[in-house]
Amino acid sequence: MRDYRHGRGKPRTGWEKNSQIQRRSLTCFNLGFTSTLFRPHQYRRLPPPVAAMPQGDYIERHRKLHGYRHDHFERKRKKEAREVHKRSAMAQKALGIKGKLFAKKRYAEKALMKKTLAMHEESSSRRKVDDDVHEGAVPAYLLDRDTTTRAKVLSNTIKQKRKEKAGKWEVPLPKVRPVAEDEMFKVIRTGKRKTKQWKRMVTKATFVGPSFTRKPPKYERFIRPSGLRFNKAHVTHPELKCTFNLEIIGVKKNPNGSMYTSLGVLTKGTIIEVNVSELGLVTPAGKVVWGKYAQVTNNPENDGCVNGVLLV
Amino acid sequence: MVQYNFKKITVVPSATDFINIILSRTQRQTPTVVHKGYAISRLRQFYMRKVKYTQQNFHDKLSTIIEEFPRLDDIHPFYGDLLHVLYNKDHYKLALGAINTARNQIGKVAKDYVKLLKYGDSLYRCKSLKVAALGRMCTLVKKLSGSLAYLEQIRQHMARLPSIDPNTRTLLICGYPNVGKSSFMNKITRADVDVQPYAFTTKSLFVGHTDYKYLRYQVIDTPGILDRPFEDRNIIEMCSITALAHLRSAVLFFLDISGSCGYSIVQQAALFHSIKSLFMNKPLMIVCNKTDLQPLEGLSEGDMKLVMEMKAEAMKTVIGQGGEATDDEGVLLTMSTLTEDGVMAVKNAACGRLLNQRVEIKMKSKKINDCLNRFHVAIPKPRDQKERPACIPQAVLEARAQQAAEKEKRKTERDLEDENGGAGVYSASLKKNYILANEEWKEDILPEILDGHNVADFIDPDILMRLEELEREEGMRQVEDDEDFEMDGKDLTPEEQEALAAIRKKKSMLIQQHRVKKSTAESRPTVPRKFDKSREFTTKRMGRQLSSLGLDPSLAIERARSRSRGRKRERSPERGDAMDVDTDESNKKLRTRSRSRSRSMSRPPTEFVPGAGFKDSEQKVKAIKLAKKSVKKRNKNARRGEADRVIPTLKPKHLFSGKRSIGKTDRR
């Protein structure tokens, strides 16, 4: 704060003040130490004139030399006791997004507290466990012998080939919402008078391969904008439960139609083939697996990324 | 002189706080209301703005963190090494690198999503894209939580580091633990460093300041160093080694010759020899501390030899700086911080040696030539051979001598106390200086209560005097009752009344005048002499006073008049009679005109004067030109003036380009 009361109306700035203090202290200092007239031991018991220069550990040092305030512990205890009331006031008064966030956090805290309390209340004494016994239960050595059927052990590849032939797949999302054509395409008007409407622009995410080149613009009917093209997918392994960022090799099938499959449109439920060489999978024969199918599980145009689940 | 101050780094928030701050800022500072029915471009713009705003904020805050933390390669190597010792350079760089990467990645995320937002065709789609973008950015920052916490801890520690200026005059105190380094520091500076009987009390560097010959010296107290191989040293010892290695300072190596620190002189000498390579080019002093426990002369043969060896090493540094080979006073010194015996001598010797070394180095360097033209010692020519010593009156000299004698003669209470056994043993008798009527009464014990009354209520040293006064008053009262006293105004005759009124009026006038004339700063504004309105100080008055003293005033008058006239005397011949006019009633016009022409009779402004700060007259002329140019008024409105050049467009492009199917081209 600038003090305008002193001096002839000139504000005393902080810098001036400091220099004045410094000057004062310098003179005290000089008197004490550079003069050789006074014998040093006369000043042995005088306290230092002003507080000493604080060093890096000044807080601990002050505590060591002077201890705490006389009411320090009481104040601390009371402040901590007041926190409870403050928190509840905040919880009641907070509005809007802050209120919601706070409520969520608080709910999580309370749930955790309840769990720990329940844990503490669990007694460590052992109790007898009663297992219900079924009526008519018979021990294994009294069972009748069943007829054995001869089952062939089939390899995984053969199973997959059979499934492919049948056209039946076990996928995580068996049913998806159908996407209408007007939702999928946007009509582009062309021509000098903008009357021709035969061009369509795809509004969903697409995959075009690395060797893709456009048809001459005059003849291309379906425009797949480059901003909506994706090359990589975040694929989760269902058993390992971890996600990898894998390259897309191609679109296998789009549930909305074969046209979309040929265009390479990625919507929810599309089966894509991804490059799994990263995972280091090996067939029983010893060959390295580098391509596997995955199903898209989100709407890539809404999320900006393609998420999928690996089909094992 | 850069003052290294790491206190200005902004607080680094934790990861969750960081995210909350930025997201709540986005929510507050961008528009929040949007409806489904708005035009699609408006919807897109709304959400793009949010994504960009968030990215911008993240970028700004992360950039401030990266920029404010010092780069270890750019700061003074002393600080670079100190920070490396304390925080590990690699870890530090990794943390800052992680923040930099996060910043770039956030930028990429924002760019990608803004591109995607351009294809958004519904409110829901744009909103989901914005949510995805912000979520991605926040995930990136959440991964930084470890680095941010680490940087916050570092920042707090850095702010507490002592502000050591690596380039100024420094005294560095080093030695084994517990030899008395911190006590010495406390004695010569105002730093309050912890002094304890256990080793490694000082755990980091401490700074204090002290003065010598009007210059400020930094004193740095280091933690003790043990004699170990370099690789085995811990962080605390490394701090001292860093300070020793990088600061150009005077080194005071402390030696505890009494051995009460727990280490023998042999060990201390071994340490000295192992770190003596760090003392290169530094004025070195061996200081033997704790002489009150063991004087230097009382050392054994072997120890004395070791001490002399160290002294020989220290002498080498003196020779290296060009000092004389026989100058060994400032190399080995003894002192005791407990009795404060020799402390000041050590300090003065160290400061003196450091100062000499620095001055020598400066004189030899090339930069001195830039400064030399600013120094000009003007020595007045002696007028005659007469000696003119200081004039002290005889009485003052005698008084001084008397005072000195008195000081020595007088025995103080302190001295008495010391003689009779010290502070705890002797208690001064406070009653021996009492002034009483009878000397024997001094040692009597005074009762507190007597006959049921407090004695203190009845004690008064002036009681006899008071009694007399009371009696006098009583007597006077009686007398007054008898006499009549004159009443104001009633018993006076009209003439007397008039006289009284006149006297009172005159008195009040005098008082008022005196108050007006009273020349203190509170009663009148201090106006400098040149606006002396009452025109009292004229040359005539001066001449009168000088001639009354017996001196010839003509020279002085001429000088005074010439200063107020200026050099353009020849221009105004008709003012010849004005030169003689110097009375109190001189013409106001003449006064103002002469004042406006007043000019100093010194040399022309472009002439080179030694000591003015310029190399030669060319430089001076250039400086004057620059000064004049800087006073010129700028055209801040940036409007075209008559002096500015105008280039008109003779062939405007819009009239001369483009095809026209029909129509003329003189208007478009």
Side-chain angles (χ1 to χ4, degrees):
Chain A
M1 268 312 265
R2 299 208 168 184
D3 192 353
Y4 287 93
R5 283 178 284 139
H6 301 280
R8 301 187 188 105
K10 230 183 12 158
R12 211 190 258 176
T13 62
W15 179 242
E16 268 179 75
K17 260 195 196 136
N18 276 339
S19 59
Q20 285 190 3
I21 292 172
Q22 271 187 357
R23 256 184 272 130
R24 228 183 294 135
S25 68
L26 257 178
T27 50
C28 301
F29 203 85
N30 276 334
L31 274 178
F33 290 107
T34 59
S35 142
T36 49
L37 281 177
F38 304 111
R39 279 172 287 175
H41 74 260
Q42 277 186 345
Y43 289 86
R44 200 190 323 166
R45 286 184 208 110
L46 281 178
V50 200
M53 175 173 119
Q55 301 283 340
D57 58 348
Y58 58 96
I59 299 176
E60 290 91 18
R61 185 131 178 81
H62 184 273
R63 287 228 171 116
K64 213 197 263 192
L65 290 177
H66 309 287
Y68 292 94
R69 275 174 72 127
H70 66 278
D71 53 359
H72 169 87
F73 294 105
E74 177 157 336
R75 273 169 48 141
K76 191 168 175 194
R77 178 186 61 85
K78 288 189 124 187
K79 188 165 184 187
E80 277 160 19
R82 259 178 277 143
E83 287 298 324
V84 181
H85 297 285
K86 270 196 186 170
R87 198 182 338 129
S88 96
M90 222 260 287
Q92 289 171 29
K93 283 199 223 154
L95 298 172
I97 189 79
K98 276 205 175 133
K100 286 188 195 162
L101 285 173
F102 183 79
K104 188 164 164 208
K105 202 162 61 127
R106 186 78 187 130
Y107 181 77
E109 274 175 30
K110 281 190 176 170
L112 194 60
M113 264 200 302
K114 277 200 180 153
K115 269 199 202 156
T116 45
L117 281 172
M119 234 169 55
H120 286 308
E121 279 180 13
E122 262 179 19
S123 57
S124 52
S125 60
R126 282 186 280 167
R127 276 192 231 110
K128 201 164 134 200
V129 175
D130 283 333
D131 278 337
D132 290 318
V133 183
H134 289 290
E135 274 293 319
V138 174
Y141 54 85
L142 289 175
L143 282 173
D144 291 330
R145 232 179 256 190
D146 291 328
T147 52
T148 50
T149 51
R150 225 167 267 173
K152 247 166 85 172
V153 176
L154 296 168
S155 71
N156 211 9
T157 33
I158 298 176
K159 278 191 192 163
Q160 261 198 351
K161 285 209 178 116
R162 282 194 186 165
K163 268 196 205 158
E164 239 181 270
K165 253 200 216 160
K168 274 220 168 82
W169 293 89
E170 257 175 36
V171 284
L173 303 174
K175 281 211 179 99
V176 286
R177 185 181 73 89
V179 180
E181 199 178 304
D182 54 353
E183 195 186 327
M184 187 73 85
F185 296 124
K186 178 177 159 192
V187 178
I188 304 274
R189 286 169 172 262
T190 52
K192 193 171 192 184
R193 309 279 173 239
K194 300 281 189 250
T195 47
K196 304 192 187 177
Q197 298 182 52
W198 55 274
K199 278 189 184 245
R200 299 283 182 274
M201 184 173 85
V202 178
T203 58
K204 305 278 179 188
T206 57
F207 171 75
V208 298
S211 57
F212 171 75
T213 35
R214 291 166 62 187
K215 276 165 68 168
K218 189 168 171 177
Y219 301 108
E220 68 180 341
R221 196 187 308 185
F222 295 106
I223 300 175
R224 284 166 277 187
S226 58
L228 289 174
R229 292 183 198 163
F230 290 93
N231 294 319
K232 287 200 163 199
H234 304 288
V235 180
T236 313
H237 197 289
E239 268 130 48
L240 298 174
K241 303 273 191 247
C242 51
T243 315
F244 304 95
N245 197 11
L246 305 171
E247 254 186 52
I248 306 177
I249 301 172
V251 173
K252 176 72 183 161
K253 185 160 174 64
N254 191 315
N256 297 110
S258 56
M259 178 171 66
Y260 303 126
T261 313
S262 61
L263 277 175
V265 173
L266 301 167
T267 53
K268 187 167 182 175
T270 311
I271 312 285
I272 55 175
E273 195 174 353
V274 286
N275 182 347
V276 295
S277 48
E278 243 179 54
L279 298 173
L281 301 169
V282 181
T283 59
K287 295 203 187 132
V288 175
V289 177
W290 66 277
K292 260 193 171 297
Y293 291 124
Q295 190 180 30
V296 176
T297 50
N298 72 330
N299 290 316
E301 71 275 2
N302 284 348
D303 294 332
C305 56
V306 183
N307 297 340
V309 155
L310 203 61
L311 302 175
V312 283
Chain B
M1 248 199 286
V2 182
Q3 193 67 342
Y4 277 101
N5 191 353
F6 298 128
K7 302 186 210 292
K8 295 267 178 66
I9 307 179
T10 33
V11 180
V12 179
S14 72
T16 42
D17 282 346
F18 201 174
I19 294 174
N20 285 341
I21 291 169
I22 303 272
L23 288 182
S24 60
R25 184 185 287 196
T26 310
Q27 198 234 344
R28 274 179 295 129
Q29 305 283 0
T30 51
T32 49
V33 180
V34 78
H35 293 302
K36 218 164 33 165
Y38 289 176
I40 187 67
S41 54
R42 191 169 163 188
L43 291 171
R44 284 186 196 143
Q45 190 200 40
F46 178 84
Y47 286 109
M48 276 200 261
R49 184 171 171 179
K50 288 201 185 261
V51 171
K52 284 243 78 168
Y53 189 80
T54 312
Q55 182 259 336
Q56 188 65 45
N57 278 334
F58 271 125
H59 182 92
D60 289 341
K61 282 214 180 288
L62 292 172
S63 302
T64 46
I65 294 174
I66 293 173
E67 270 152 36
E68 285 189 350
F69 273 87
R71 261 188 266 187
L72 295 181
D73 306 318
D74 285 350
I75 51 180
H76 193 274
F78 163 65
Y79 271 103
D81 265 1
L82 187 67
L83 294 180
H84 173 53
V85 161
L86 291 170
Y87 314 128
N88 192 4
K89 192 160 62 161
D90 298 327
H91 209 172
Y92 177 84
K93 280 191 182 173
L94 274 174
L96 286 178
I99 296 202
N100 192 23
T101 332
R103 183 179 61 164
N104 294 337
Q105 280 176 338
I106 288 177
K108 274 199 206 134
V109 162
K111 205 160 61 140
D112 290 338
Y113 276 87
V114 163
K115 251 197 307 185
L116 276 171
L117 267 166
K118 291 191 195 147
Y119 295 102
D121 48 10
S122 70
L123 178 99
Y124 178 72
R125 188 161 159 184
C126 294
K127 186 172 179 181
S128 329
L129 282 169
K130 164 233 174 197
V131 165
L134 296 197
R136 268 233 171 117
M137 290 192 238
C138 292
T139 325
L140 285 168
V141 172
K142 244 199 280 181
K143 290 198 198 145
L144 283 180
S145 63
S147 305
L148 289 171
Y150 171 73
L151 284 172
E152 172 61 17
Q153 274 198 351
I154 286 191
R155 181 198 72 88
Q156 283 181 1
H157 196 273
M158 260 206 268
R160 307 259 182 92
L161 285 180
S163 48
I164 298 176
D165 187 352
N167 300 319
T168 184
R169 307 161 282 273
T170 319
L171 302 179
L172 199 60
I173 310 177
C174 62
Y176 250 85
N178 248 350
V179 296
K181 306 188 288 291
S182 302
S183 320
F184 179 68
M185 174 92 155
N186 282 340
K187 289 281 175 291
I188 57 171
T189 69
R190 264 167 54 192
D192 179 24
V193 185
D194 210 5
V195 174
Q196 298 286 348
Y198 56 86
F200 284 107
T201 314
T202 309
K203 293 199 237 320
S204 63
L205 299 176
F206 287 107
V207 180
H209 294 87
T210 182
D211 298 306
Y212 176 75
K213 287 195 180 163
Y214 306 107
L215 286 173
R216 194 135 253 227
Y217 287 75
Q218 261 180 162
V219 185
I220 300 185
D221 178 25
T222 64
I225 315 173
L226 294 174
D227 189 17
R228 285 206 274 221
F230 189 75
E231 300 77 31
D232 292 349
R233 293 202 188 276
N234 59 26
I235 292 181
I236 303 176
E237 289 170 341
M238 280 308 291
C239 281
S240 339
I241 302 278
T242 311
L244 271 174
H246 288 289
L247 297 173
R248 319 183 293 142
S249 60
V251 180
L252 280 79
F253 186 83
F254 268 54
L255 205 50
D256 177 4
I257 47 182
S258 71
S260 60
C261 65
Y263 304 100
S264 69
I265 296 190
V266 180
Q267 286 172 306
Q268 296 180 45
L271 171 70
F272 178 82
H273 289 294
S274 68
I275 59 172
K276 67 184 175 195
S277 59
L278 291 168
F279 299 151
M280 212 78 77
N281 295 335
K282 300 186 175 106
L284 173 64
M285 267 176 65
I286 316 283
V287 179
C288 301
N289 198 12
K290 305 196 189 171
T291 49
D292 53 321
L293 293 173
Q294 160 92 32
L296 183 63
E297 296 72 28
L299 275 184
S300 67
E301 274 277 334
D303 292 342
M304 203 55 163
K305 205 165 71 100
L306 288 169
V307 173
M308 287 303 135
E309 266 176 37
M310 285 200 270
K311 182 175 166 183
E313 278 290 334
M315 286 297 296
K316 285 192 203 160
T317 59
V318 174
I319 297 169
Q321 279 144 33
E324 302 92 39
T326 54
D327 177 24
D328 63 351
E329 293 151 6
V331 179
L332 179 69
L333 290 162
T334 61
M335 69 168 199
S336 167
T337 48
L338 190 63
T339 58
E340 293 195 40
D341 175 35
V343 167
M344 282 302 129
V346 166
K347 175 199 138 192
N348 291 339
C351 291
R353 271 187 69 188
L354 180 64
L355 187 61
N356 290 338
Q357 190 221 21
R358 283 177 75 103
V359 166
E360 269 191 47
I361 290 177
K362 276 216 176 105
M363 287 305 218
K364 287 188 203 149
S365 76
K366 280 200 256 179
K367 283 210 276 188
I368 194 74
N369 297 329
D370 296 341
C371 304
L372 271 177
N373 56 355
R374 288 197 209 140
F375 301 139
H376 176 71
V377 181
I379 303 172
K381 278 192 293 208
R383 202 163 51 161
D384 50 28
Q385 297 303 105
K386 211 162 141 187
E387 272 257 356
R388 290 181 177 87
C391 170
I392 306 177
Q394 191 58 27
V396 172
L397 282 172
E398 283 170 5
R400 274 198 199 165
Q402 203 185 36
Q403 241 186 17
E406 224 181 59
K407 263 212 142 126
E408 287 170 16
K409 268 198 295 184
R410 202 177 66 156
K411 197 169 199 184
T412 59
E413 281 292 334
R414 261 293 168 99
D415 296 336
L416 263 183
E417 193 186 62
D418 286 338
E419 277 172 19
N420 291 332
V425 179
Y426 172 80
S427 60
S429 85
L430 301 161
K431 297 186 184 173
K432 74 176 181 192
N433 286 332
Y434 280 4
I435 301 169
L436 295 169
N438 189 345
E439 291 292 324
E440 290 164 12
W441 295 343
K442 274 192 195 172
E443 300 299 319
D444 288 351
I445 303 169
L446 197 60
E448 284 184 14
I449 298 176
L450 191 65
D451 295 341
H453 298 283
N454 275 337
V455 167
D457 290 344
F458 294 90
I459 286 187
D460 192 349
D462 306 325
I463 196 158
L464 291 169
M465 222 169 59
R466 298 265 164 92
L467 186 61
E468 280 177 43
E469 267 182 40
L470 268 173
E471 285 178 358
R472 230 186 304 141
E473 242 185 78
E474 294 242 323
M476 272 183 48
R477 265 236 189 102
Q478 288 181 354
V479 167
E480 271 181 2
D481 284 335
D482 301 342
E483 290 182 358
D484 327 309
F485 50 95
E486 265 197 45
M487 278 208 286
D488 199 7
K490 272 205 187 150
D491 289 341
L492 290 173
T493 63
E495 298 89 17
E496 281 176 16
Q497 269 182 9
E498 271 175 34
L500 179 63
I503 290 170
R504 287 210 175 129
K505 192 169 162 202
K506 182 96 193 277
K507 204 170 167 185
S508 68
M509 284 265 302
L510 279 174
I511 289 172
Q512 266 179 29
Q513 256 186 13
H514 172 73
R515 282 199 187 131
V516 165
K517 265 204 302 187
K518 197 158 72 160
S519 54
T520 56
E522 292 163 325
S523 62
R524 63 158 173 80
T526 46
V527 176
R529 202 189 201 173
K530 64 182 179 182
F531 301 123
D532 175 21
K533 292 276 188 292
S534 56
R535 307 287 288 136
E536 288 167 22
F537 303 100
T538 59
T539 46
K540 271 225 165 157
R541 185 171 150 177
M542 178 173 79
R544 255 183 280 130
Q545 288 181 339
L546 283 174
S547 36
S548 70
L549 283 175
L551 302 162
D552 179 22
S554 48
L555 270 177
I557 292 178
E558 259 218 29
R559 188 151 181 275
R561 286 161 69 188
S562 69
R563 290 197 87 179
S564 67
R565 291 297 146 169
R567 286 159 54 212
K568 300 255 166 95
R569 242 185 259 171
E570 54 275 16
R571 267 237 230 140
S572 49
E574 68 272 19
R575 290 205 215 283
D577 40 315
M579 284 203 306
D580 301 336
V581 175
D582 203 6
T583 60
D584 293 311
E585 306 88 33
S586 59
N587 210 346
K588 194 174 180 186
K589 279 194 193 156
L590 280 173
R591 221 190 306 141
T592 52
R593 229 175 286 155
S594 76
R595 289 260 161 77
S596 65
R597 281 189 303 139
S598 71
R599 187 105 61 97
S600 69
M601 291 278 287
S602 59
R603 325 152 197 239
T606 52
E607 187 185 304
F608 172 62
V609 178
F614 297 107
K615 202 165 55 171
D616 49 19
S617 51
E618 224 179 78
Q619 204 189 47
K620 191 168 181 182
V621 164
K622 198 167 166 193
I624 292 174
K625 275 204 191 138
L626 275 174
K628 285 197 187 154
K629 242 197 237 178
S630 72
V631 193
K632 245 196 265 182
K633 208 164 161 50
R634 286 168 56 193
N635 179 12
K636 287 204 197 144
N637 281 332
R639 295 208 179 158
R640 196 164 48 110
E642 312 90 59
D644 295 316
R645 203 169 1 149
V646 179
I647 303 173
T649 45
L650 297 168
K651 283 182 80 170
K653 192 167 179 185
H654 69 286
L655 293 179
F656 286 92
S657 64
K659 287 190 274 195
R660 274 243 170 157
S661 40
I662 47 166
K664 297 196 281 190
T665 53
D666 59 349
R667 59 159 201 280
R668 290 203 166 230

